[in-house]
Amino acid sequence: AKAQKGSRTVLFTAELENRNRAIKQTADDILRGLDDDAFMPFYQLQFDAKTLEISGVETLARWQHPEHGVLAPDRFLKIAEDIDVMWRIDRSLAEKACADFLRWRLEGLDVPRMSVNISARRLLDPQLLASFPTQSFPKGTFVFEMLESIFLDALDDEMSKAIDRIRKAGIAIEIDDFGTGHASVLGLTTLHPKRLKIDRALIAPLTRGERHRRLIAAIIEMGHALDIEIVAEGVETQAQIDLLRTMGCDVLQGYALARPMGTRDIEAFLRARLPA
Ligand code: C2E
Ligand code: CA
Ligand code: CA
Ligand code: CA
């Protein structure tokens, strides 16, 4: 039994070493990616639920990996945070996203809003606003999406000041992933966000039963009672689109309407919609 235990320890240590090596490898790759300017924004369109016109885009981080192609954040975000370089990725994305948004506005490509994801730890970063050159964008057209867990507790003084600065810069605040993890209804009154994004986990079962439907209806009603617009994310079927529209949801986002696209693809898409 002792020998068995011993060999299991050896196996375990070997596995751990393998995993550590893989993490180290990814960390090195990320640093090289930063040097090579390999992180870029993808854009997913959002649509006005009433008119089905484009109402905005969400910016999503992607890594153009030399061997593995275009990678989503689940492949790098956590490790980048652990080695404390996510701020460098964010900074490079912010610059590119703002430049793209400015260009679209100058070219008359119709994108009323652009939103970016802001992590909890960045909210109190004194450099946060400086990394987004949004001065030339009309008030409310640039949006910070923040996870609802940030607003779990009553806002402390430092957080309130950070939120004030964001508002004064003309940037709108949207609560992301509403309804998952932490139920933070308190944030809706203390923060008064412009929009609330219902998490995909609540949208997925929407057409599978009366109780799911009623839950979404109640969230929409609650939002509207507080003067907050409702965005549904992860909309994957026509049945969900139809139902959310009849229920008075304000904005729709999901694969059923548009997938995330790189700069060149979305610009081609937007140009094709311009009146001839
Ligand atoms: P999120 O903010 O909830 O973003 C929505 C995610 O759902 C995106 O995944 C998007 O590609 C995906 N998605 C959109 N429509 C559908 C659909 O119809 N069905 C399904 N199954 N998925 C859909 P992505 O791009 O992999 O991003 C994952 C998460 O990583 C984001 O979740 C966000 O929390 C975070 N993230 C992305 N970009 C950034 C960034 O630049 N900075 C920070 N801090 N976080 C980011
Ligand atoms: Ca988001
Ligand atoms: Ca979300
Ligand atoms: Ca989500």
Side-chain angles (χ1 to χ4, degrees), residues 94-142:
E95 212 173 276
K96 288 172 185 159
C98 287
D100 284 345
F101 194 41
L102 182 63
R103 195 170 55 251
W104 300 343
R105 299 187 65 82
L106 294 174
E107 282 184 33
L109 299 178
D110 185 27
V111 184
R113 275 194 304 268
M114 171 177 281
S115 56
V116 295
N117 292 285
I118 301 293
S119 62
R121 58 196 295 178
R122 278 198 89 205
L123 182 60
L124 297 178
D125 173 359
Q127 296 301 310
L128 176 64
L129 283 173
S131 61
F132 290 97
T134 62
Q135 293 79 359
S136 67
F137 306 144
K139 199 170 166 4
T141 56
F142 207 80

Side-chain angles (χ1 to χ4, degrees), residues 91-193:
R91 192 177 58 183
S92 131
L93 290 172
E95 212 173 276
K96 288 172 185 159
C98 287
D100 284 345
F101 194 41
L102 182 63
R103 195 170 55 251
W104 300 343
R105 299 187 65 82
L106 294 174
E107 282 184 33
L109 299 178
D110 185 27
V111 184
R113 275 194 304 268
M114 171 177 281
S115 56
V116 295
N117 292 285
I118 301 293
S119 62
R121 58 196 295 178
R122 278 198 89 205
L123 182 60
L124 297 178
D125 173 359
Q127 296 301 310
L128 176 64
L129 283 173
S131 61
F132 290 97
T134 62
Q135 293 79 359
S136 67
F137 306 144
K139 199 170 166 4
T141 56
F142 207 80
V143 181
F144 281 177
E145 290 190 14
M146 298 192 253
L147 294 185
E148 76 173 325
S149 55
I150 299 180
F151 311 110
L152 191 59
D153 302 314
L155 295 178
D156 66 25
D157 210 38
E158 215 186 336
M159 279 174 85
S160 303
K161 281 189 186 136
I163 300 283
D164 271 355
R165 280 196 299 274
I166 292 167
R167 285 240 167 76
K168 286 216 179 77
I171 295 172
I173 289 169
E174 182 166 320
I175 294 189
D176 203 357
D177 291 0
F178 185 77
T180 55
H182 315 278
S184 129
V185 201
L186 183 62
L188 299 184
T189 50
T190 56
L191 184 78
H192 199 166

